[in-house]
Amino acid sequence: MIMFFIIPSVIVYSRNLACEWASDSIRANSVAPTFIATPLVDNAFDDEFKKVVESTNPLGRIGKPEEVASVVAFLCMPAASYITGQTICVDGGLSVNGFSYQPHA
């Protein structure tokens, strides 16, 4: 089973900043992606490992950089003006099931 961990200190830091800076109308959020198809992932992992990652992800694929960028862009927009202190997981649903997704046969 593959395990992914969001760094808890980043989550706590984002929440603390959100509380501390809210009175100045400054929002603080974090984005937590898992495997994203970047040149680093392409070079660091072989195809067999990528297939394992894809099979354990509910959406059945590795994410794209633009999918993470879209979340970051949204958090910067006025439409997200009431969102602060949150960690948004961009992981294809992997964290929803406690990182223990078992693909159906």
Side-chain angles (χ1 to χ4, degrees):
M1 178 168 74
I2 300 172
M3 297 295 289
F4 301 96
F5 298 98
I6 301 168
I7 301 171
S9 59
V10 173
I11 296 171
V12 172
Y13 187 62
S14 296
R15 290 178 180 175
N16 285 338
L17 288 178
C19 292
E20 186 175 328
W21 293 348
S23 61
D24 295 321
S25 298
I26 298 172
R27 297 176 291 121
N29 296 291
S30 57
V31 177
T34 55
F35 276 96
I36 302 298
T38 64
L40 177 64
V41 169
D42 289 339
N43 294 329
F45 303 109
D46 61 15
D47 289 337
E48 183 178 332
F49 182 77
K50 291 177 197 173
K51 287 179 183 175
V52 171
V53 170
E54 290 172 347
S55 71
T56 58
N57 188 305
L59 287 182
R61 63 181 178 83
I62 294 175
K64 300 173 189 170
E66 55 269 19
E67 292 171 317
V68 178
S70 296
V71 172
V72 173
F74 168 72
L75 290 172
C76 295
M77 298 174 75
S81 64
Y82 203 60
I83 299 172
T84 192
Q86 301 302 307
T87 299
I88 310 297
C89 294
V90 183
D91 62 4
L94 188 62
S95 61
V96 172
N97 204 21
F99 303 108
S100 62
Y101 176 75
Q102 300 296 320
H104 300 296

